[in-house]
């Protein structure tokens, strides 16, 4: 596929993301898993700060914190411009926690099930999402959606199993490790 290149986020469904985190946990003997939605937002907000975007500056600046159109074009083998095209993860400086591009380089899977009104009655500290559901929460956006980046508090949802062969490219993930296992 034209969007599969080195240093570009892998497009996967939720089950594949979860399996990878489990595999890396087995390889390292560390407790790797998908982040909860609360962990993801805390990380995107540079440690819980009140910032609008998960970039190094907390702002959207084409060519400084999010890619300009020509940078997106250069990131694909075919030179395409597409809102589906992720770009290299280290193109811009990381946030204060050392994390790159948490605003607009793909929808990122988290471990939580989705329920539209979950936060009306959830615990205020470290909510873990509903016990079950039909869809999983995703955070962030593919490049180009929303004209550049997702607000750190925006949330979306998608089926855990993606069946459209072209859709998974927009779904990425990160694994987190429980600090107590280091």
């Amino acid at each position: 596929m034209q969007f599969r290149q080195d240093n570009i986020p892998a497009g996967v469904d939720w089950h594949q993301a979860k399996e990878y985190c489990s595999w890396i946990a087995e390889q390292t003997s560390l407790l790797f898993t998908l982040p909860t939605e609360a962990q993801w937002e805390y990380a995107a907000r540079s440690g819980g700060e009140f910032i609008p975007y998960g970039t190094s500056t907390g702002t959207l600046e084409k060519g400084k914190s999010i890619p300009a159109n020509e940078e997106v074009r250069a990131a694909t083998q075919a030179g395409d411009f597409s809102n589906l095209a992720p770009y290299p993860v280290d193109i811009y400086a990381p946030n204060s926690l050392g994390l790159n591009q948490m605003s607009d380089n793909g929808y990122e899977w988290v471990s939580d099930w989705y329920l539209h009104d979950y936060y009306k009655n959830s615990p205020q500290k470290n909510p873990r999402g509903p016990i079950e559901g039909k869809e999983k929460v995703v955070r962030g956006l593919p490049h180009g959606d929303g004209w550049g980046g997702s607000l750190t508090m925006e949330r979306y949802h998608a089926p855990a199993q993606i069946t459209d062969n072209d859709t998974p490219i927009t779904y990425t993930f990160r694994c987190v490790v429980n600090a107590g296992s280091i």
Side-chain angles (χ1 to χ4, degrees), residues 39-145:
Q39 287 172 321
W40 188 96
E41 186 170 326
Y42 180 85
R45 292 173 58 184
S46 296
E49 295 177 32
F50 190 71
I51 60 170
Y53 299 100
T55 64
S56 60
T57 63
T59 63
L60 298 178
E61 299 173 74
K62 292 267 186 186
K64 292 185 178 181
S65 63
I66 60 169
N69 292 348
E70 51 278 358
E71 291 169 308
V72 174
R73 230 180 249 111
T76 66
Q77 291 173 347
D80 294 342
F81 177 75
S82 170
N83 69 338
L84 301 179
Y87 48 91
V89 294
D90 60 355
I91 194 169
Y92 301 113
N95 70 13
S96 63
L97 298 179
L99 301 169
N100 292 82
Q101 302 311 118
M102 295 199 67
S103 184
D104 66 337
N105 213 12
Y107 291 116
E108 293 190 21
W109 294 111
V110 298
S111 61
D112 301 37
W113 287 103
Y114 174 77
L115 181 65
H116 74 282
D117 62 354
Y118 172 73
Y119 289 106
K120 285 184 180 178
N121 298 307
S122 70
Q124 277 200 305
K125 189 171 183 176
N126 296 324
R128 299 195 97 20
I131 294 171
E132 58 185 24
K134 294 183 181 184
E135 295 184 306
K136 289 293 191 175
V137 174
V138 290
R139 299 297 296 264
L141 284 176
H143 171 71
D145 284 5

